Amino acid sequence: MSSPLTFRQITTADRDIFEQVVVHSDYRNCDMSLANIYCWQDSYHSQIATWHGWLIIRFTTERGDTAYMQPMGEGKREGERGEIIQCLMSDAASLGVPLRLFGLDSSWVKSINALYPDQFALYAPTANQDYIYLADDLATLPGRKYQPKRNHINRFTQRYDYRLESISESNLEDCRQLNALWCNQKGISSSDPEQRALQRAFSEFRALNLRGWILYADNTPAAFAIGSQINHDTFCIHIEKSDISFDGASAMINNLVAVEISKEYKYINREDDLGIAGLRRAKQSYHPTIMLTKHSALMLTEKEQNMRHLWQECFGDDIATIDHFFATVYNPKLSFTYSINGTVVAMLHLVPVQYGNSKQGYIYAVATKPAFRRQGIASQLIQRAIEYAKEWGEYDSLILIPADEAAQRLYSRFGFEMRDSIFVQPDNIVDYELGSGNSTPDFVMQLNFL
């Protein structure tokens, strides 16, 4: 199947397109900034296409899936949105991948539900929410809730002779040196994805219409911040670095930059927290006025819709919980099903999990329709999963959580043994809890391959 869309690499010359479509819109999503998309190309391989006034970004997720950002354009009619979704379906089909959409606002979620009821798994990851602040609040730090920030700033101003400069060719090298110092302090490699993005920003500073400020303390670079306009009322801070040896430098540049931004914009977007607890606390401490929810959507095949219904029938979870799994963890290549007359009556999922250097396969969501139980169907799926895992050779072992003593006896027949260890959330699954959800501890059964 051919695609109606022609994608190409994004260049700095696309600034005009973004200014026409995004800058004059109501979009405040940091992912729709040209600077972000361009600078992170090494990591996400982003490409651009236009279609009848719509701006479309296709990229590769961290998991390696092909995905599309919410189409950007003025069209709000469901019929017009239906046409662009059909184009995206055709493009995804031409690549042999399911249609995945990211960064959807609530109006697009409503349109998708109306146009394609029950055909998409929809999920809003909390780690992807943008923190948006009133620029005046960050500039003035009013009230008791900002007292800790004012204390940091007061200590900085009492201790250092400081000044703030706009970033230009004359001081860009100071930013580079400060960034190198920050990397050394944090143990960050120059090959780190964020560092590669920052080097692109340094190299194309003017071409991307970036703006930035550098803070000097006692004539020494202490902090810098770089950002760009998203739309008519929102400015986004993409990068902020500070020398940790200058107490209060981070709070100081945050405040001084907000003073500058508040002269032109109502809001400051400081992007998401990536699910990192420390970063989340830091962003929350500045009291965002908007937590911008960005929905994800995965178009499900008829078989996958069957699996969703089977999950709900067997486990009683709501659709939002099930869609969370399909949108963030599910891999069709690691899904094992048993169908009768085209309907899925049993399934299990093999989820790759990692603990340090140990790689394991987690047998998860084993379910059989009540009318088809005690016929050996689940045993067939378990055997298939074990054989696949052995042949694949990527796992040290398989693990699972037995639902009850009957399940424990079943898994024992395949060589699984009970462990004294309680299930712990794996390192590589950030935004989905893989435990059973029961109030009692989840004890693990394990089948070793080594």
Side-chain angles (χ1 to χ4, degrees):
M1 178 182 293
S2 62
S3 171
L5 303 173
T6 302
F7 283 90
R8 59 172 176 79
Q9 186 175 3
I10 296 172
T11 72
T12 57
D14 291 317
R15 193 173 78 183
D16 292 342
I17 298 175
F18 277 79
E19 287 181 352
Q20 293 168 14
V21 177
V22 182
V23 171
H24 300 292
S25 74
D26 293 328
Y27 296 125
R28 297 195 183 103
N29 182 344
C30 72
D31 300 322
M32 295 178 178
S33 154
L34 171 63
N36 260 346
I37 296 170
Y38 177 85
C39 291
W40 285 87
Q41 278 191 89
D42 286 350
S43 297
Y44 298 108
H45 312 292
S46 302
Q47 294 180 304
I48 188 173
T50 56
W51 186 82
H52 296 291
W54 290 92
L55 174 59
I56 304 159
I57 305 297
R58 187 175 70 191
F59 67 102
T60 303
T61 69
E62 293 178 356
R63 204 175 73 161
D65 297 318
T66 298
Y68 304 81
M69 288 300 299
Q70 171 182 302
M72 290 173 273
E74 294 301 318
K76 296 183 179 179
R77 293 185 299 103
E78 286 182 357
E80 188 174 353
R81 290 184 172 186
E83 291 177 9
I84 191 64
I85 292 175
Q86 287 291 333
C87 284
L88 297 180
M89 287 179 183
S90 296
D91 189 73
S94 73
L95 299 174
V97 298
L99 176 59
R100 293 179 182 271
L101 299 169
F102 278 64
L104 299 171
D105 62 25
S106 57
S107 72
W108 269 90
V109 170
K110 182 178 178 181
S111 293
I112 286 172
N113 280 330
L115 292 164
Y116 304 97
D118 298 324
Q119 293 185 46
F120 280 85
L122 290 152
Y123 174 61
T126 56
N128 287 358
Q129 290 181 317
D130 283 359
Y131 289 74
I132 300 178
Y133 308 82
L134 284 172
D136 282 341
D137 281 355
L138 298 191
T140 60
L141 300 175
R144 183 176 297 179
K145 66 183 180 181
Y146 286 109
Q147 186 62 52
K149 305 301 180 186
R150 295 197 299 271
N151 290 341
H152 283 300
I153 290 170
N154 289 337
R155 286 197 298 271
F156 185 90
T157 58
Q158 291 168 10
R159 185 173 299 180
Y160 307 109
D161 180 23
Y162 70 93
R163 70 181 188 277
L164 185 75
E165 294 182 5
S166 295
I167 294 177
S168 64
E169 291 296 330
S170 64
N171 56 27
L172 191 58
E173 184 57 32
D174 286 345
C175 294
R176 292 181 187 273
Q177 292 180 9
L178 176 54
N179 177 63
L181 174 63
W182 180 88
C183 287
N184 186 58
Q185 291 172 336
K186 299 289 187 178
I188 302 295
S189 166
S190 60
S191 62
D192 179 82
E194 186 196 47
Q195 284 300 304
R196 295 201 304 269
L198 180 53
Q199 295 309 318
R200 275 181 174 264
F202 284 148
S203 299
E204 303 291 349
F205 198 84
R206 293 184 63 183
L208 289 169
N209 206 23
L210 289 166
R211 295 174 64 185
W213 297 264
I214 181 169
L215 173 67
Y216 290 88
D218 295 339
N219 288 320
T220 301
F224 70 83
I226 295 174
S228 67
Q229 179 183 17
I230 297 181
N231 70 358
H232 61 93
D233 66 5
T234 306
F235 189 90
C236 183
I237 299 295
H238 303 305
I239 300 284
E240 186 178 283
K241 304 296 180 190
S242 61
D243 182 347
I244 60 175
S245 65
F246 289 98
D247 184 24
S250 179
M252 191 73 207
I253 194 165
N254 189 309
N255 177 242
L256 293 176
V257 167
V259 171
E260 297 300 314
I261 294 173
S262 66
K263 298 172 184 177
E264 302 176 54
Y265 300 94
K266 182 177 181 179
Y267 298 107
I268 297 175
N269 184 324
R270 295 187 63 84
E271 303 193 349
D272 53 36
D273 60 35
L274 305 173
I276 301 171
L279 191 55
R280 178 169 295 174
R281 288 192 297 271
K283 290 180 181 290
Q284 289 176 343
S285 71
Y286 278 96
H287 309 289
T289 190
I290 298 172
M291 292 298 297
L292 186 67
T293 298
K294 298 180 285 188
H295 299 264
S296 300
L298 169 66
M299 190 167 195
L300 302 176
T301 64
E302 183 176 352
K303 176 182 177 181
E304 289 161 350
Q305 293 172 47
N306 278 183
M307 293 162 67
R308 183 164 61 175
H309 295 148
L310 174 62
W311 185 311
Q312 191 171 35
E313 179 181 359
C314 293
F315 302 123
D317 292 332
D318 57 38
I319 290 295
T321 299
I322 302 168
D323 282 359
H324 186 170
F325 173 82
F326 276 98
T328 60
V329 179
Y330 170 72
N331 184 338
K333 296 178 181 178
L334 299 178
S335 155
F336 300 85
T337 60
Y338 190 98
S339 298
I340 295 179
N341 296 327
T343 299
V344 176
V345 299
M347 68 176 181
L348 69 77
H349 301 272
L350 188 57
V351 180
V353 298
Q354 189 161 352
Y355 298 95
N357 294 324
S358 175
K359 295 181 179 180
Q360 299 173 332
Y362 178 27
I363 292 181
Y364 184 69
V366 183
T368 305
K369 277 182 172 289
F372 296 92
R373 291 173 184 170
R374 301 185 183 281
Q375 298 180 27
I377 295 175
S379 294
Q380 292 183 48
L381 295 183
I382 295 166
Q383 187 62 47
R384 283 169 55 192
I386 293 172
E387 290 172 356
Y388 177 88
K390 286 181 177 179
E391 183 177 346
W392 193 23
E394 291 291 319
Y395 301 137
D396 303 329
S397 63
L398 294 181
I399 62 172
L400 54 83
I401 300 171
D404 49 35
E405 290 186 3
Q408 183 177 334
R409 288 193 297 271
L410 170 64
Y411 296 126
S412 295
R413 296 206 302 267
F414 293 93
F416 285 88
E417 298 179 353
M418 285 298 302
R419 300 300 185 195
D420 293 333
S421 57
I422 296 174
F423 178 77
V424 176
Q425 182 72 7
D427 301 334
N428 62 313
I429 306 293
V430 175
D431 200 35
Y432 183 84
E433 293 295 329
L434 281 170
S436 68
N438 296 328
S439 57
T440 55
D442 293 325
F443 285 93
V444 172
M445 295 188 77
Q446 187 168 5
L447 173 63
N448 287 318
F449 292 152
L450 300 179

